[in-house]
Amino acid sequence: MTNASKVDLVGVGLNATDTLIPLSSYPAPGSKVEYRTVNVMPGGQVATTVVACQHWGLRTRYVGKLGDDAAAALHREAFARGGVETQLITVPGGASPQSLILVDGEGERTVLCRRDERLVLQPNDLRQEWVVQARALHVDGHDTAAATLAAGWAHDDGIPVIADLDEPYPGVDELLEKVDYLIVSRDFPCRLMEETDLEKALQQMQRRYGSLLTAATLGQDGVLAWDGRQFHYAAAYHVPVVDTTGAGDIFHAGFIYGLLQGWPLERQLDFACAAAALNCMAVGARGGIQAVNAIEDLMATSPRYQAAYDRHIAPVHGRSL
């Protein structure tokens, strides 16, 4: 008999403390730039996704590593305030992950990361009950060995695995074989498959790894997904952008929320785009997490960016997929 509570989503992966510095434009090499404000906020790919899902009423668990510094205290307080169950491994004397984020006048961000190697999540840090007592698992693949073990446990138990990847980490192939919903950054498919055409790369990823869905988030161009039979496309919502930090994390949260509601894929993608758009209207990875009804209001009323692809089959430029 396990003593882990049953949750809707468990996340195994990154947390980070974000120091956000807004600038009118990105600094030129060799220049000196004055800044006026700094915001220190909790972030991190998986941690942010989990917090958003908890905000929308799902029961969640986060598994990760922290140091014993002020950044760790910030994360613990944020998880507790949000109601997220945590399984946190503390490294005495360790420095919690930090990101320095420069945000330009258009809301685009440049991220500088620092991680203490002692805070890499190891397979022996995990307990199987933390993973299998959930309806879905979300990983980012950074701590690849631990993510692979967790995904294997989930896969063996028929628990869907969602992955958010932006780098082809060493050993990632074994992880990807256990991922059901592989939703990655724009450049990842082409880099991984050594293929210049995004559509072909998504198809090749799905065939190689057996995923139910492969998809790439494309910023203001929306999201393109391949389900093994056809492409699905959702255009991004056109909103006043303050900061794009966390947009991908919130997109994944929106997708997972829709998946666990049993929504059709098209609605999952639309909801995820809308949730991400709202988050871009505020500062920080979690600054614009809004209620479900606010996201649905945006879906009903907001214009979209011009579509980069037709909604279901072919790109706008007419080439058959």
Side-chain angles (χ1 to χ4, degrees):
M1 182 70 178
T2 181
N3 59 9
S5 61
K6 184 74 173 180
V7 296
D8 296 303
L9 175 67
V10 58
V12 177
L14 285 177
N15 63 76
T17 301
D18 297 338
T19 300
L20 295 110
I21 302 176
L23 301 170
S24 57
S25 61
Y26 189 78
S31 64
K32 180 183 291 186
V33 177
E34 182 178 345
Y35 65 91
R36 297 182 181 278
T37 60
V38 174
N39 294 289
V40 179
M41 310 173 79
Q45 285 170 261
V46 165
T48 294
T49 296
V50 166
V51 167
C53 285
Q54 181 76 32
H55 183 79
W56 298 330
L58 298 183
R59 296 162 298 167
T60 64
R61 174 182 301 122
Y62 172 73
V63 181
K65 244 175 182 174
L66 289 167
D68 58 1
D69 49 9
L74 180 71
H75 279 284
R76 291 179 184 278
E77 193 278 330
F79 287 132
R81 185 174 64 250
V84 176
E85 180 200 317
T86 56
Q87 298 293 344
L88 296 170
I89 296 93
T90 299
V91 177
S96 298
Q98 300 275 347
S99 294
L100 177 62
I101 304 176
L102 306 180
V103 183
D104 70 18
E106 302 298 318
E108 286 297 329
R109 83 279 189 271
T110 300
V111 184
L112 308 175
C113 301
R114 185 191 73 180
R115 288 201 83 195
D116 185 332
E117 289 301 313
R118 292 172 295 173
L119 270 74
V120 172
L121 192 68
Q122 303 293 342
N124 60 11
D125 290 323
L126 302 179
R127 289 170 54 183
Q128 187 170 359
E129 65 189 60
W130 296 344
V131 174
V132 299
Q133 287 292 89
R135 294 173 59 206
L137 166 68
H138 183 49
V139 297
D140 56 34
H142 187 280
D143 299 333
T144 312
T148 301
L149 179 61
W153 286 335
H155 188 76
D156 290 346
D157 265 40
I159 297 166
V161 180
I162 305 94
D164 175 7
L165 295 170
D166 50 23
E167 291 290 338
Y169 303 111
V172 77
D173 282 337
E174 186 180 354
L175 170 60
L176 296 185
E177 291 169 357
K178 299 172 176 62
V179 172
D180 299 290
Y181 300 93
L182 181 53
I183 305 172
V184 299
S185 60
R186 180 194 298 263
D187 297 333
F188 183 91
C190 294
R191 292 169 61 194
L192 182 69
M193 305 310 298
E194 299 181 340
E195 164 62 59
T196 58
D197 184 281
L198 175 60
E199 296 89 352
K200 291 180 181 177
L202 288 171
Q203 291 174 314
Q204 291 168 10
M205 281 203 313
Q206 190 274 330
R207 285 196 297 267
R208 176 179 293 183
Y209 300 110
S211 306
L212 296 176
L213 188 80
T214 53
T217 55
L218 308 173
Q220 70 178 40
D221 288 333
V223 59
L224 182 67
W226 170 251
D227 67 4
R229 297 176 302 277
Q230 68 175 1
F231 279 92
H232 302 263
Y233 174 72
Y237 288 89
H238 199 302
V239 297
V241 173
V242 173
D243 179 9
T244 59
T245 303
D249 310 338
I250 302 303
F251 180 95
H252 282 80
F255 180 88
I256 292 166
Y257 180 84
L259 177 68
L260 294 180
Q261 304 304 310
W263 291 347
L265 178 58
E266 290 80 5
R267 178 162 169 74
Q268 289 175 245
L269 297 175
D270 276 346
F271 183 86
C273 284
L278 280 172
N279 200 63
C280 290
M281 295 171 65
V283 174
R286 308 174 190 175
I289 299 173
Q290 300 293 320
V292 170
N293 60 357
I295 297 168
E296 292 177 337
D297 285 347
L298 185 81
M299 293 167 66
T301 61
S302 177
R304 297 177 186 252
Y305 284 98
Q306 182 177 352
Y309 298 86
D310 286 339
R311 186 167 180 87
H312 288 293
I313 303 295
V316 166
H317 52 66
R319 180 164 57 80
S320 174
L321 299 179

Coordinates of all heavy atoms in Angstrom, one line a residue, residues 110-154:
T110 N 15.9 37.0 -23.3 CA 17.2 36.3 -23.4 C 17.5 35.7 -22.0 O 17.5 36.5 -21.1 CB 18.3 37.2 -23.9 OG1 17.9 37.7 -25.2 CG2 19.6 36.5 -24.1
V111 N 17.8 34.4 -22.0 CA 17.9 33.8 -20.7 C 19.4 33.3 -20.5 O 19.9 32.6 -21.3 CB 17.0 32.6 -20.6 CG1 17.1 31.9 -19.2 CG2 15.5 33.0 -20.9
L112 N 19.9 33.7 -19.3 CA 21.2 33.2 -18.9 C 21.0 32.3 -17.7 O 20.4 32.7 -16.7 CB 22.2 34.3 -18.5 CG 22.3 35.4 -19.6 CD1 23.2 36.6 -19.0 CD2 22.9 34.9 -20.8
C113 N 21.5 31.0 -17.7 CA 21.1 30.1 -16.7 C 22.4 29.7 -15.9 O 23.5 29.6 -16.4 CB 20.5 28.8 -17.3 SG 19.0 29.1 -18.3
R114 N 22.2 29.4 -14.6 CA 23.2 28.8 -13.7 C 22.6 27.7 -12.9 O 21.6 27.8 -12.3 CB 23.7 29.9 -12.8 CG 24.9 29.4 -12.0 CD 25.3 30.4 -10.9 NE 24.3 30.3 -9.8 CZ 24.3 31.1 -8.7 NH1 25.3 32.0 -8.5 NH2 23.4 31.0 -7.7
R115 N 23.3 26.5 -13.0 CA 22.9 25.4 -12.2 C 24.1 24.8 -11.5 O 25.2 24.6 -12.1 CB 22.3 24.3 -13.1 CG 20.9 24.7 -13.6 CD 20.1 23.4 -14.0 NE 19.5 22.8 -12.9 CZ 19.0 21.5 -12.9 NH1 19.2 20.8 -13.9 NH2 18.4 21.0 -11.8
D116 N 23.9 24.5 -10.2 CA 24.8 23.8 -9.4 C 24.7 22.3 -9.8 O 23.7 21.7 -9.6 CB 24.5 24.0 -7.9 CG 25.5 23.4 -7.0 OD1 26.2 22.4 -7.3 OD2 25.6 24.0 -5.8
E117 N 25.8 21.7 -10.2 CA 25.8 20.3 -10.6 C 25.3 19.3 -9.5 O 24.8 18.2 -9.8 CB 27.2 19.8 -11.1 CG 27.6 20.4 -12.4 CD 26.6 20.1 -13.5 OE1 26.2 18.9 -13.6 OE2 26.2 21.0 -14.3
R118 N 25.4 19.8 -8.2 CA 24.9 18.9 -7.1 C 23.4 18.9 -7.1 O 22.8 18.0 -6.4 CB 25.5 19.5 -5.8 CG 27.0 19.4 -5.6 CD 27.4 20.1 -4.4 NE 27.2 21.6 -4.5 CZ 27.4 22.4 -3.5 NH1 27.8 22.0 -2.3 NH2 27.2 23.7 -3.7
L119 N 22.8 19.8 -7.9 CA 21.3 19.8 -7.9 C 20.7 19.0 -9.1 O 19.5 19.1 -9.3 CB 20.8 21.2 -7.9 CG 20.6 21.8 -6.4 CD1 21.9 22.1 -5.8 CD2 19.7 23.0 -6.5
V120 N 21.5 18.3 -9.8 CA 21.0 17.4 -10.8 C 20.1 16.3 -10.2 O 20.6 15.6 -9.3 CB 22.1 16.8 -11.7 CG1 21.5 15.8 -12.6 CG2 22.8 17.9 -12.4
L121 N 18.9 16.2 -10.6 CA 18.0 15.2 -10.0 C 18.5 13.8 -10.5 O 18.6 13.6 -11.7 CB 16.6 15.4 -10.5 CG 15.5 14.6 -9.8 CD1 15.4 15.0 -8.3 CD2 14.1 14.8 -10.5
Q122 N 18.8 12.9 -9.6 CA 19.3 11.6 -9.9 C 18.2 10.5 -9.9 O 17.2 10.7 -9.1 CB 20.4 11.2 -9.0 CG 21.6 12.2 -9.0 CD 22.3 12.2 -10.3 OE1 22.2 11.3 -11.1 NE2 23.1 13.3 -10.4
P123 N 18.3 9.4 -10.6 CA 17.3 8.4 -10.5 C 17.0 7.9 -9.1 O 15.9 7.6 -8.7 CB 17.9 7.3 -11.4 CG 18.7 8.0 -12.4 CD 19.3 9.2 -11.7
N124 N 18.1 7.8 -8.3 CA 17.9 7.3 -6.9 C 17.3 8.3 -6.0 O 17.0 8.0 -4.8 CB 19.2 6.7 -6.4 CG 20.3 7.8 -6.3 OD1 20.1 8.9 -6.5 ND2 21.5 7.3 -6.0
D125 N 17.0 9.5 -6.5 CA 16.3 10.5 -5.7 C 14.7 10.2 -5.8 O 14.0 10.8 -5.0 CB 16.5 11.9 -6.3 CG 17.9 12.4 -6.0 OD1 18.5 12.1 -4.9 OD2 18.5 13.1 -6.9
L126 N 14.3 9.4 -6.8 CA 12.9 9.3 -7.1 C 12.3 8.1 -6.3 O 13.0 7.1 -6.0 CB 12.7 9.1 -8.6 CG 13.2 10.2 -9.5 CD1 12.9 9.8 -10.9 CD2 12.5 11.5 -9.1
R127 N 11.0 8.2 -6.1 CA 10.3 7.0 -5.6 C 9.1 6.7 -6.5 O 8.4 7.7 -7.0 CB 9.7 7.3 -4.2 CG 10.8 7.3 -3.1 CD 10.3 7.9 -1.8 NE 9.1 7.1 -1.3 CZ 8.4 7.4 -0.2 NH1 8.8 8.5 0.5 NH2 7.4 6.7 0.2
Q128 N 9.0 5.5 -6.9 CA 8.0 5.1 -7.9 C 6.6 5.6 -7.6 O 5.8 6.0 -8.4 CB 8.0 3.6 -8.1 CG 7.2 3.1 -9.3 CD 7.4 1.6 -9.6 OE1 8.2 1.0 -8.9 NE2 6.7 1.1 -10.6
E129 N 6.2 5.5 -6.3 CA 4.9 5.9 -5.9 C 4.6 7.4 -6.2 O 3.4 7.7 -6.5 CB 4.6 5.6 -4.4 CG 5.5 6.5 -3.5 CD 5.3 6.0 -2.1 OE1 5.7 4.9 -1.8 OE2 4.9 6.8 -1.2
W130 N 5.6 8.2 -6.2 CA 5.3 9.6 -6.5 C 4.9 9.8 -8.0 O 4.1 10.7 -8.3 CB 6.6 10.4 -6.4 CG 7.2 10.5 -5.0 CD1 6.5 10.2 -3.8 CD2 8.5 10.9 -4.6 NE1 7.4 10.4 -2.8 CE2 8.6 10.8 -3.2 CE3 9.6 11.3 -5.4 CZ2 9.8 11.2 -2.5 CZ3 10.8 11.7 -4.7 CH2 10.9 11.6 -3.3
V131 N 5.3 8.9 -8.8 CA 5.0 9.0 -10.3 C 3.7 8.2 -10.6 O 2.8 8.8 -11.3 CB 6.2 8.4 -11.1 CG1 5.8 8.4 -12.6 CG2 7.4 9.3 -10.9
V132 N 3.6 7.0 -10.1 CA 2.4 6.2 -10.6 C 1.1 6.5 -9.9 O 0.1 6.1 -10.4 CB 2.7 4.7 -10.4 CG1 4.0 4.3 -11.3 CG2 2.9 4.3 -9.0
Q133 N 1.2 7.3 -8.8 CA 0.0 7.8 -8.2 C -0.5 9.1 -8.8 O -0.6 10.1 -8.2 CB 0.2 7.9 -6.7 CG 0.2 6.6 -6.0 CD -1.1 5.9 -6.0 OE1 -1.5 5.1 -6.9 NE2 -1.9 6.2 -5.0
A134 N -0.6 9.1 -10.2 CA -1.0 10.3 -10.9 C -1.7 9.9 -12.2 O -1.5 8.8 -12.7 CB 0.3 11.2 -11.2
R135 N -2.4 10.8 -12.8 CA -3.1 10.6 -14.0 C -2.2 11.0 -15.2 O -2.5 10.5 -16.3 CB -4.4 11.4 -14.1 CG -5.5 10.9 -13.1 CD -6.6 11.9 -13.1 NE -7.3 11.9 -14.4 CZ -8.0 13.0 -14.9 NH1 -8.1 14.1 -14.1 NH2 -8.5 12.9 -16.1
A136 N -1.2 11.8 -15.0 CA -0.3 12.2 -16.1 C 1.0 12.6 -15.5 O 1.1 13.0 -14.3 CB -0.9 13.3 -16.9
L137 N 2.1 12.4 -16.3 CA 3.4 12.8 -15.9 C 4.0 13.8 -16.9 O 3.8 13.6 -18.1 CB 4.4 11.6 -15.9 CG 5.9 11.9 -15.8 CD1 6.3 12.5 -14.4 CD2 6.7 10.6 -16.1
H138 N 4.6 14.9 -16.3 CA 5.2 15.9 -17.2 C 6.7 16.0 -16.9 O 7.1 16.1 -15.7 CB 4.6 17.3 -17.0 CG 5.1 18.3 -17.8 ND1 5.2 18.2 -19.2 CD2 5.5 19.6 -17.6 CE1 5.7 19.3 -19.7 NE2 5.9 20.2 -18.7
V139 N 7.6 15.9 -17.9 CA 9.0 16.0 -17.7 C 9.6 17.0 -18.7 O 9.0 17.3 -19.8 CB 9.7 14.6 -17.9 CG1 9.2 13.6 -16.9 CG2 9.4 14.1 -19.3
D140 N 10.8 17.5 -18.4 CA 11.4 18.4 -19.4 C 12.7 17.8 -19.9 O 13.3 18.4 -20.9 CB 11.7 19.8 -18.8 CG 12.5 19.7 -17.5 OD1 13.4 18.8 -17.3 OD2 12.3 20.6 -16.6
G141 N 13.2 16.7 -19.4 CA 14.3 16.0 -19.9 C 15.7 16.6 -19.5 O 16.7 16.0 -19.9
H142 N 15.8 17.7 -18.8 CA 17.1 18.2 -18.5 C 17.9 17.3 -17.6 O 19.0 17.0 -17.9 CB 16.9 19.6 -17.7 CG 18.2 20.3 -17.5 ND1 19.0 19.9 -16.4 CD2 18.8 21.3 -18.1 CE1 20.1 20.7 -16.4 NE2 20.0 21.5 -17.4
D143 N 17.3 16.7 -16.6 CA 17.9 15.7 -15.8 C 17.5 14.4 -16.4 O 16.6 13.7 -15.9 CB 17.5 15.8 -14.3 CG 17.9 17.1 -13.7 OD1 18.9 17.7 -14.2 OD2 17.2 17.6 -12.8
T144 N 18.1 14.0 -17.5 CA 17.6 13.0 -18.4 C 17.4 11.6 -17.8 O 16.4 11.0 -18.0 CB 18.5 12.9 -19.7 OG1 18.8 14.2 -20.2 CG2 17.9 12.1 -20.7
A145 N 18.4 11.2 -17.0 CA 18.3 9.9 -16.4 C 17.1 9.7 -15.5 O 16.4 8.7 -15.5 CB 19.6 9.5 -15.7
A146 N 16.9 10.7 -14.6 CA 15.8 10.7 -13.7 C 14.5 10.8 -14.5 O 13.5 10.1 -14.2 CB 15.9 11.9 -12.7
A147 N 14.4 11.7 -15.5 CA 13.2 11.8 -16.3 C 12.9 10.5 -17.0 O 11.7 10.1 -17.1 CB 13.4 12.9 -17.3
T148 N 13.9 9.8 -17.5 CA 13.7 8.5 -18.2 C 13.2 7.5 -17.3 O 12.2 6.7 -17.6 CB 15.0 8.1 -18.8 OG1 15.5 9.1 -19.7 CG2 14.8 6.8 -19.6
L149 N 13.7 7.4 -16.1 CA 13.2 6.4 -15.1 C 11.7 6.7 -14.8 O 10.9 5.8 -14.8 CB 14.0 6.5 -13.8 CG 13.6 5.5 -12.7 CD1 13.6 4.1 -13.1 CD2 14.4 5.8 -11.4
A150 N 11.4 8.0 -14.5 CA 10.0 8.4 -14.2 C 9.1 8.0 -15.4 O 8.0 7.5 -15.2 CB 9.9 9.8 -13.8
A151 N 9.5 8.4 -16.6 CA 8.7 8.1 -17.7 C 8.5 6.6 -17.9 O 7.4 6.2 -18.4 CB 9.3 8.7 -19.0
G152 N 9.5 5.8 -17.6 CA 9.4 4.4 -17.8 C 8.3 3.8 -16.8 O 7.5 3.0 -17.2
W153 N 8.4 4.3 -15.5 CA 7.3 3.9 -14.6 C 5.9 4.2 -15.1 O 5.0 3.4 -15.0 CB 7.6 4.5 -13.2 CG 8.8 4.0 -12.5 CD1 9.3 2.7 -12.6 CD2 9.5 4.7 -11.5 NE1 10.4 2.6 -11.7 CE2 10.5 3.8 -11.0 CE3 9.5 6.0 -10.9 CZ2 11.4 4.1 -10.0 CZ3 10.4 6.3 -10.0 CH2 11.4 5.4 -9.5
A154 N 5.8 5.5 -15.5 CA 4.5 5.9 -16.0 C 4.0 5.1 -17.2 O 2.9 4.7 -17.3 CB 4.5 7.4 -16.3

